[in-house]
Amino acid sequence: MKLKEFARQLGLSPTTVSRALGGYPEVNEKTRKRVAEEAVRLGYRPNINAVRLVTGRAGAIGVVMGRTGEFHFAEFMSGMAERLDGEDIDILVSPTTDRDSTDEIPIYSRLATSGRVDAVIVHSPKPNDERIALLNDLGFPFLVHGRSETEVPHAWLDIDNEGAVRRATSHLLDLGHKRIVMINGPAGRTFSLHRDKGYRDALQERGVAFDPRLVAHGHFTDELGFRLARSYLEQSPRPTAFVAGSMMTVLGVYRAVRSRGLVIGRDISVIAHDDVFPYLTPENMIPSLSATRSSMRAAGARSADLVLQLLGGRPASEIHELWPVELILRESTGPAPTEVRI
Amino acid sequence: MKLKEFARQLGLSPTTVSRALGGYPEVNEKTRKRVAEEAVRLGYRPNINAVRLVTGRAGAIGVVMGRTGEFHFAEFMSGMAERLDGEDIDILVSPTTDRDSTDEIPIYSRLATSGRVDAVIVHSPKPNDERIALLNDLGFPFLVHGRSETEVPHAWLDIDNEGAVRRATSHLLDLGHKRIVMINGPAGRTFSLHRDKGYRDALQERGVAFDPRLVAHGHFTDELGFRLARSYLEQSPRPTAFVAGSMMTVLGVYRAVRSRGLVIGRDISVIAHDDVFPYLTPENMIPSLSATRSSMRAAGARSADLVLQLLGGRPASEIHELWPVELILRESTGPAPTEVRI
DNA sequence: AAGCTGTTTTAAAGCGCTTTGGTTAAATGT
DNA sequence: ACATTTAACCAAAGCGCTTTAAAACAGCTT
């Protein structure tokens, strides 16, 4: 059913019907009501593509899905979806199989110029991120999930990675740990750098020398957590604590510790970052896992919200949100063992 | 830059330019080449929404993202993205916070009638799925990922869940296990029913009585795996083997077994279904996990492919794919312990 | 040289909607 | 009673493209 036919059946002009449905004031309240009811009854829905053409709005927010870290991504998107439910805005996912953000440039470029989306979300930026530069050059609305150090003014939402790791590390230091390993995210991303900084600052505050060999970078996989933890545990002197970048990483760390016959929370303390997944929770681990916590889903929901504000005209330079991160202590952290033998 | 202006600059009519870009035969090869080059040089891109309006095609495939099982979902979508890379087709994600597929009816209805997508993918159907009935009634193209028992002809892609579980269970029976617990997916979904059937058939083949209390249903979470396994292990006689529905479930099962001081692969055998995630792999578990394996990512890629075929005119009734599932034996399965004490 | 054929290009219609710039009818003011 | 305002509705333009139907052009015949 087209607008014209629908309007004819109502005995109204297309103009009035369109306005009634659009909620414009110059339509009699009774008429509006009638139109709304009949639209439901007769199943009339405006052709979205016609609307998009004529309004110039795409009614969609774009995200680029990379090969790695999909479990975070799904949770973030799910949060976006939650917020966008009811709005007439879709989420459009663009594929990329590439690992480096530079390779994503053509994708963002296409997304920004093709008119399929009204805004895009940029994930895990680097300090000097090409994608941000590009989108700014194109004058295309975007929100950065994470932070960058670029001069370019832009909207962003980030969690306090630095503070999270600083607190986690400080807590371990307070417990007497000296050799603390950090298994961080991929090198080069701002969030990894922030975590590095939080780690180093905590050491410095407590006057513990920074040993770069205790910090590793890589993707958030169970395997990497295992392999790295395993090799660290073979070193002498042995580390007594781990800070792990994700829930997947920490699965591997737990396994590595156990496989060496060590006890988590006694021989080895562990803190991880928890993005709050419905299917894998730190309190259920054995021993329950001390974690810095920040809901990825909530970040997704808020990001969608901020993008909506951005599209509503709020200046990008005004949209900056830094979320604090909780540190939740459970059983995986304990006093450093007084004597470390190998 | 609009078509009109671009054509003017080339000294051609909009018609010719449109055809050149669209690859129609009635354009001189030289002209086409010139148009293509200039389009790149001048940065001309057809307005996608105008194209969509005039062609009536949306250039997108819809998927509905539920609240649960997001880790599977992301992997599936990632596969779709892989296949769709290069095609001018997007993935459109519609949110739902509901748990039951009946609640998704309005979402599918909206998706199908709004012209935003050319086809949708239906996940985890029930034997008599309302969504399939709806989409069929609407005459809207769709592919089912999973199977249904409806009379309605439709395209589907599924893995052999029944065969997978039958083989897993048979293998455990061959090893001498008698009390085999199955932690299955949500009740009511066809794939869960198929797995139930595979389990029962295996028992029957070997002449082992079916005990319904040994089969549990629920979402694929670490916590459920733990809670259920924990409570089964307290029973007497104790089960000697578990078939777990997902990698998350099995994490909980492993933990439960260990927390009882039992050894996996010796006291308790475990087989799980592995959807092949880049961040969590059965071979890395300790002990390494015997699993039925089928790549969710590959299913996503193939699904996208089949949807493209569907849109290309291939009849839905012709599109049925049942993928075999490998059983890969590792260390988590072993002979049933001869004597089971509690 | 006119007719015919096949190739290449173009003018113009129209996809389904929103919105500008009206018109008409009713309400209000003088 | 007439002018003026306000409320309610409408005709038609136009968003940027594809595609139908027709025109222009070139290459051959006869």
Side-chain angles (χ1 to χ4, degrees):
Chain A
M1 165 113 50
K2 323 279 167 83
L3 171 59
K4 205 171 152 189
E5 167 62 11
F6 178 54
R8 205 189 52 71
Q9 291 201 21
L10 286 175
L12 289 168
S13 73
T15 310
T16 305
V17 172
S18 171
R19 285 187 160 146
L21 258 24
Y24 283 72
E26 56 271 76
V27 174
N28 190 309
E29 195 46 49
K30 276 178 209 157
T31 312
R32 179 199 317 293
K33 220 170 165 181
R34 188 163 71 93
V35 171
E37 279 163 9
E38 290 293 285
V40 171
R41 198 174 66 80
L42 299 173
Y44 169 72
R45 317 217 48 183
N47 177 308
I48 190 85
N49 294 318
V51 173
R52 285 171 174 175
L53 173 58
V54 75
T55 60
R57 268 175 274 115
I61 298 173
V63 285
V64 175
M65 184 168 67
R67 178 75 182 76
T68 54
E70 292 89 355
F71 60 102
H72 299 108
F73 189 84
E75 198 59 18
F76 182 88
M77 232 170 59
S78 188
M80 285 182 68
E82 203 175 288
R83 172 62 185 84
L84 261 21
D85 202 2
E87 311 278 341
D88 212 35
I89 308 256
D90 302 310
I91 303 169
L92 199 131
V93 178
S94 275
T96 168
T97 44
D98 303 314
R99 294 208 164 230
D100 190 75
S101 62
T102 311
D103 304 324
E104 293 176 6
I105 283 292
I107 298 171
Y108 280 92
S109 170
R110 166 173 167 279
L111 223 39
T113 57
S114 69
R116 299 163 203 259
V117 293
D118 296 316
V120 295
I121 293 184
V122 173
H123 284 274
S124 303
K126 299 189 275 190
N128 187 0
D129 202 278
E130 314 85 354
R131 298 168 296 177
I132 295 177
L134 171 82
L135 292 166
N136 182 67
D137 287 352
L138 293 172
F140 195 80
F142 66 101
L143 172 86
V144 176
H145 179 222
R147 253 175 303 168
S148 146
E149 283 160 15
T150 172
E151 293 294 304
V152 173
H154 62 275
W156 56 262
L157 166 69
D158 195 11
I159 62 170
D160 184 10
N161 281 295
E162 182 184 325
V165 172
R166 189 180 341 98
R167 286 177 59 195
T169 311
S170 295
H171 179 70
L172 291 169
L173 290 165
D174 289 346
L175 288 169
H177 296 274
K178 294 275 180 287
R179 293 190 63 75
I180 303 170
V181 167
M182 177 160 74
I183 302 181
N184 201 343
R189 307 285 172 165
T190 314
F191 78 88
S192 290
L193 295 169
H194 284 167
R195 290 182 181 186
D196 280 349
K197 182 161 190 307
Y199 174 83
R200 277 204 307 274
D201 285 0
L203 292 182
Q204 193 169 9
E205 260 174 35
R206 301 297 196 281
V208 175
F210 169 66
D211 180 350
R213 288 167 305 178
L214 294 182
V215 176
H217 291 266
H219 286 288
F220 291 140
T221 68
D222 166 79
E223 188 189 351
L224 189 72
F226 180 71
R227 280 209 343 254
L228 288 172
R230 187 83 209 191
S231 91
Y232 277 118
L233 290 171
E234 277 161 12
Q235 295 178 5
S236 178
R238 195 170 66 204
T240 63
F242 284 84
V243 176
S246 82
M247 287 299 288
M248 293 303 161
T249 315
V250 84
L251 287 176
V253 172
Y254 263 49
R255 221 169 46 234
V257 172
R258 276 195 313 261
S259 76
R260 298 279 298 174
L262 299 167
V263 175
I264 289 167
R266 191 191 68 190
D267 304 316
I268 303 286
S269 284
V270 180
I271 300 184
H273 183 71
D274 171 29
D275 292 298
V276 192
F277 303 108
Y279 45 83
L280 184 59
T281 51
E283 47 271 51
N284 283 321
M285 296 182 67
I286 298 184
S288 65
L289 172 70
S290 296
T292 53
R293 177 170 71 179
S294 183
S295 163
M296 190 54 92
R297 167 173 288 262
R302 181 60 177 160
S303 292
D305 199 36
L306 291 174
V307 167
L308 257 27
Q309 294 185 19
L310 196 63
L311 293 175
R314 188 169 169 205
S317 56
E318 236 180 47
I319 301 179
H320 304 317
E321 273 189 26
L322 184 61
W323 287 13
V325 176
E326 303 174 85
L327 171 63
I328 298 164
L329 297 176
R330 300 193 183 86
E331 301 161 355
S332 67
T333 39
T338 45
E339 177 195 353
V340 176
R341 332 134 252 141
I342 193 114
Chain B
M1 164 112 52
K2 322 282 168 77
L3 172 59
K4 206 172 152 189
E5 167 62 11
F6 177 57
R8 204 189 52 70
Q9 291 201 23
L10 286 175
L12 288 169
S13 74
T15 310
T16 305
V17 172
S18 171
R19 284 186 164 151
L21 258 26
Y24 282 72
E26 56 270 75
V27 175
N28 191 307
E29 195 46 50
K30 277 178 208 157
T31 314
R32 179 201 315 295
K33 222 171 166 181
R34 188 163 72 94
V35 171
E37 280 162 10
E38 291 292 284
V40 171
R41 197 174 66 80
L42 299 173
Y44 168 73
R45 315 217 48 183
N47 177 309
I48 188 88
N49 293 319
V51 173
R52 285 171 173 175
L53 173 58
V54 74
T55 61
R57 268 175 272 115
I61 298 173
V63 285
V64 175
M65 185 167 67
R67 179 75 183 75
T68 52
E70 291 91 353
F71 60 101
H72 298 108
F73 188 83
E75 198 58 18
F76 183 88
M77 232 171 57
S78 189
M80 284 182 68
E82 204 174 287
R83 171 63 184 83
L84 260 22
D85 201 1
E87 311 278 340
D88 213 36
I89 308 255
D90 302 310
I91 302 170
L92 198 132
V93 178
S94 274
T96 167
T97 45
D98 302 314
R99 294 207 165 231
D100 191 76
S101 64
T102 311
D103 304 324
E104 293 176 6
I105 283 292
I107 299 172
Y108 281 93
S109 168
R110 166 173 167 279
L111 223 39
T113 57
S114 70
R116 290 161 211 263
V117 293
D118 296 315
V120 295
I121 293 183
V122 172
H123 284 274
S124 303
K126 299 190 275 191
N128 187 0
D129 202 278
E130 312 86 352
R131 298 168 295 177
I132 295 175
L134 171 82
L135 291 167
N136 182 66
D137 287 351
L138 293 172
F140 195 79
F142 65 101
L143 173 86
V144 176
H145 179 219
R147 254 175 302 168
S148 146
E149 282 160 16
T150 173
E151 292 293 303
V152 173
H154 61 275
W156 57 262
L157 166 69
D158 195 11
I159 62 169
D160 183 11
N161 281 295
E162 183 183 326
V165 172
R166 191 182 337 101
R167 286 177 59 195
T169 310
S170 296
H171 179 70
L172 291 168
L173 291 164
D174 288 345
L175 288 169
H177 296 274
K178 293 274 182 289
R179 293 190 64 75
I180 302 171
V181 168
M182 177 160 74
I183 303 181
N184 201 343
R189 307 285 172 165
T190 314
F191 78 88
S192 291
L193 295 169
H194 284 168
R195 290 181 182 188
D196 280 349
K197 181 159 191 310
Y199 173 83
R200 277 202 308 273
D201 285 0
L203 292 182
Q204 195 169 7
E205 261 173 35
R206 301 295 197 281
V208 175
F210 168 67
D211 182 348
R213 287 168 305 179
L214 294 182
V215 176
H217 291 267
H219 286 288
F220 291 139
T221 68
D222 165 80
E223 187 189 351
L224 189 72
F226 180 71
R227 279 207 345 253
L228 288 172
R230 187 81 210 192
S231 91
Y232 276 117
L233 290 172
E234 277 161 11
Q235 294 179 6
S236 178
R238 196 170 66 203
T240 63
F242 284 85
V243 176
S246 81
M247 288 299 290
M248 294 303 162
T249 314
V250 83
L251 287 176
V253 172
Y254 262 49
R255 220 166 48 234
V257 172
R258 277 197 312 262
S259 77
R260 298 280 296 176
L262 298 168
V263 175
I264 289 167
R266 191 192 67 189
D267 304 316
I268 304 284
S269 284
V270 180
I271 300 185
H273 183 71
D274 171 28
D275 292 297
V276 192
F277 303 108
Y279 45 83
L280 184 60
T281 52
E283 47 271 51
N284 283 321
M285 296 182 66
I286 297 186
S288 65
L289 171 71
S290 296
T292 53
R293 177 168 72 178
S294 184
S295 164
M296 192 54 92
R297 167 175 288 264
R302 182 60 178 159
S303 292
D305 199 37
L306 291 174
V307 168
L308 257 27
Q309 294 185 20
L310 196 62
L311 294 175
R314 187 168 170 204
S317 56
E318 235 179 49
I319 301 179
H320 305 317
E321 273 188 26
L322 183 62
W323 287 13
V325 175
E326 303 173 87
L327 171 63
I328 297 165
L329 298 175
R330 300 193 184 83
E331 302 161 355
S332 67
T333 38
T338 45
E339 176 195 354
V340 176
R341 331 133 254 143
I342 193 112

